[in-house]
Amino acid sequence: MTIFKYFTLSIMGILCILNLNAQKIAGKIDKPLNYVSTLVGTQSTYFLSSGNTYPAVALPWGMNFWSPQTGKMGDGWMYTYTAEKIRGIKQTHQPSPWMNDYGQFSVMAMVNNKTFDQDKRASYFSHKAEVAKPHYYSVYLADYDTKVEVTPTERAAYFRFTFPKTDSAFVLIDAFDKGSYVEVIPKEYKIIGYTTKNSGGVPTNFKNYFVMQFDRPFANVATFADSVLTDNRYLVKADHVGALVRFQIANPGEQLMAKVASSFISPEQASLNLKELDGKNFDQRVAEGENIWNRELSKVEVQGGSIDQLRTFYSCLYRSLLFPRMFYEIDATGQVIHYSPYNGEVLPGYMFTDTGFWDTFRCLFPFLNLMYPEMSEKMQEGLANAYKEGGWLPEWASPGYRNIMVGNNSASVVADAWIKGIRSKEIGTLYEAVLKGANNAGPITAVGRAGADYYKELGYVPYDVKIHENTARSLEYAYDDFAIYQLAKALDKPASDQQLYKSRAYNYQKLFDPSTGLMRGKKKNGEFQSPFNPFKWGDAFTEGNSWHYSWSVFQDFEGLAKLMGGHQAMEIKLDSVFTIPPIFDDSYYGFPIHEIREMQIANMGQYAHGNQPIQHMIYLYNHVGAPWKAQYWLRETMNRMYSPNPDGYCGDEDNGQTSAWYVFSAMGFYPVTPATDEYILGSPIFDKVTLHLSNGKKVNIQTQNNSDTNRYIKNLKWNGKNYTKNYIKHSELVKGTTLSFDMDVVPNKNRGVNKADLPFSLSKDDQ
């Protein structure tokens, strides 16, 4: 080798190392909001979800969200990234396209186009002339040479319209159909009204009252009612109404300001909510929203990741702080009140809504319990109020009871909060509520427990009694019984309560089929259902198959391993999830639902990260003494299934659950078994994570030699001492601690393999 050649290769090697290092963003992130994209997950369709999200313009947990509207009125996919036209800026309370919306109306700006028709008013737009942030949205409406900007508070929003010079600048407010009302008050530069359009879950007296206040007089007023547009008519009430007000813009670039607020309580309360905008101009409100989001996002401070990892992390954290949303308001005396979506009355106290516990019990609520306990405490009070007002804890609320999904996972949400130190003053009411839900079928199948009498008698809901998704229900009920047992024990309830729910937590064993090593539907007479296809989606399971639901034994993976033939057999079964081709049987649905298609195209075998039932599965390698396999597959999932792009999810984002999975996993741990004190270790992707806890303590998570290839834990130190366990305890974390990971390119197969290193399992607890 010549000196020149050696020198050249050395320089190339140094440049390569520098390039690798340059891929990481060094230093503290002062404004994490700058890394958030609200467009992640918006490139979705009915048949294939990349998140099924919309760009929510909102404050954390805000009562009202706003979103650009590309879809037609009533379309659950209100904004899709591939759309070419915008129909308006919509106030929305939609938790997902599958649930659709309520309390909705739309605002649109136009020039020389006096129309309310949603197709005729639509304008071309480009993402190149769009700014989409949590606290601020702007878009250039190309057909009108007009810029529209909006910034929110919790219950109100500020609009700024920048028109060209014209005497025909229009602002339209569309109150949508199914019963609406609009009144224009020219002397006050104001529009008031209400909308009733909803997709269910509301009492008969439901209305969303709104008020829109402009900063200048109207040149002309028109209202429409059921397709008829009439000038100088100021009040309309019909199936579908709205208002169109005209302004004269004297100079190019002149700005028109408008304030909007709404209330579920009354028109007077809507005007009161409008005061959230008092005292600051538009730009000051933008700055305030930026500060609020930076404050909340900065509670989880990450350093030393790539630009894409940072953007993905903070975009996921943003979505983890949207739901459940506030459904309460502040009255004139400063008291917290709410319109009850359960009985239609206006009552004191907190209320939250728009979340499905089937999804979010898994890690979204545990994340809030860890990082935002003050909000969790309010949410627990809201749950107690829901029970008092409706007679049952909701399992899917939007805004009231919705008859969708399975399980009784409100028990987990209540129990995990208490066990994680959330001391709700309503815990007595909540305990009463979880017992009622655990032992009774509700007025709809998604409240209480469908098949409760069968479950109490047999330990499972039979396959042949016309209760669909029976095996999924039974497995979730058994876990929920465990959560109640944990809560009863923590509250020092009678031994009879504790023993009953502890024994019922073992009911999962009744559905394990030794011949296949998987969970299987069982008939009332005790026989397994036949024929059995473990690749059949639906039927006995919920949006998944037996390969997905066989791992839904959150409370006792040690017991599951024994049923499967021991740790090695369970490890092989876990491996099989990734090695079996993504074959499926869709005969229950009659076509491949989007969750099936998302699994099929991911090239991860039967692993279906786009839906919730299997999202914890990778962590189970920690239970069988093979934590390095969890570390490998967790990195693969984070790398393959998430990105900061419009197609950045691999299925439904689902109200923060799929986002919170990434947030937890990127930090290096995950709450596999809510309602316990443990988090299971994974593979942290950042050089440093600092959790700023509400009690003033800090959790410092540091990694050495961390990279995409160095994904294996070589050694872990807890406050400077060697730590071999595959789990960490919440009760120790909240005291403040430092976790120091030394990462390696090869797995350490001697770490985390001893019995004492394995995480909690109910049957271990009994030994």
Side-chain angles (χ1 to χ4, degrees), residues 336-356:
V336 174
I337 59 174
H338 65 272
Y339 165 81
S340 174
Y342 300 101
N343 63 20
E345 299 177 15
V346 177
L347 297 165
Y350 291 105
M351 182 63 65
F352 291 81
T353 192
D354 292 325
T355 189

Side-chain angles (χ1 to χ4, degrees), residues 335-491:
Q335 299 301 304
V336 174
I337 59 174
H338 65 272
Y339 165 81
S340 174
Y342 300 101
N343 63 20
E345 299 177 15
V346 177
L347 297 165
Y350 291 105
M351 182 63 65
F352 291 81
T353 192
D354 292 325
T355 189
F357 295 154
W358 184 81
D359 308 288
T360 53
F361 87 87
R362 303 165 194 269
C363 78
L364 186 277
F365 278 95
F367 177 70
L368 299 180
N369 292 336
L370 173 63
M371 294 307 306
Y372 303 91
E374 294 86 358
M375 289 303 301
S376 290
E377 185 173 351
K378 294 176 183 178
M379 292 170 187
Q380 291 294 307
E381 182 182 329
L383 278 177
N385 287 333
Y387 172 68
K388 293 174 186 177
E389 294 159 23
W392 302 84
L393 289 176
E395 303 298 335
W396 230 120
S398 180
Y401 299 123
R402 299 297 291 270
N403 199 19
I404 188 171
M405 306 311 294
V406 304
N408 179 219
N409 299 309
S410 56
S412 178
V413 173
V414 171
D416 189 67
W418 186 265
I419 286 164
K420 298 290 174 56
I422 311 301
R423 292 294 176 254
S424 172
K425 63 183 180 181
E426 296 282 1
I427 191 60
T429 298
L430 289 168
Y431 186 72
E432 173 190 311
V434 298
L435 293 192
K436 179 179 178 180
N439 292 286
N440 298 277
I444 55 178
T445 56
V447 170
R449 295 187 179 182
D453 289 341
Y454 290 115
Y455 178 80
K456 287 186 290 184
E457 177 188 356
L458 302 172
Y460 61 92
V461 180
Y463 180 82
D464 55 346
V465 295
K466 297 183 179 180
I467 297 177
H468 66 93
E469 301 172 356
N470 40 80
T471 307
R473 294 180 191 275
S474 301
L475 292 170
E476 294 194 28
Y477 294 167
Y479 162 69
D480 296 328
D481 283 334
F482 166 78
I484 296 171
Y485 159 63
Q486 289 285 89
L487 181 60
K489 186 168 57 171
L491 293 174

Side-chain angles (χ1 to χ4, degrees), residues 5-19:
K5 186 174 183 180
Y6 176 81
F7 177 77
T8 302
L9 290 174
S10 298
I11 292 296
M12 290 175 64
I14 292 170
L15 289 174
C16 182
I17 292 170
L18 289 174
N19 184 56

Side-chain angles (χ1 to χ4, degrees), residues 40 180 185 407 545 577 712:
V40 178
S180 48
I185 309 173
N545 62 32
V577 172
Y712 300 104

Side-chain angles (χ1 to χ4, degrees), residues 630-699:
Q631 293 153 27
Y632 172 82
W633 282 112
L634 288 168
R635 288 291 188 100
E636 288 297 296
T637 303
M638 284 186 275
N639 290 345
R640 296 193 203 180
M641 301 292 111
Y642 292 83
S643 83
N645 303 317
D647 64 345
Y649 294 104
C650 56
D652 282 339
E653 193 278 331
D654 281 329
N655 308 112
Q657 165 59 29
T658 300
S659 291
W661 185 96
Y662 185 91
V663 171
F664 264 124
S665 297
M667 295 191 300
F669 59 97
Y670 184 82
V672 169
T673 307
T676 68
D677 192 39
E678 291 183 4
Y679 304 101
I680 312 306
L681 291 173
S683 178
I685 65 173
F686 295 107
D687 290 347
K688 185 176 181 180
V689 177
T690 304
L691 306 183
H692 299 274
L693 303 179
S694 65
N695 62 5
K697 304 292 185 181
K698 293 182 181 180
V699 176

Side-chain angles (χ1 to χ4, degrees), residues 145 162-166 249-255:
D145 189 24
T162 305
F163 288 104
K165 180 179 179 180
T166 178
I249 306 299
N251 302 298
E254 188 174 325
Q255 293 176 335

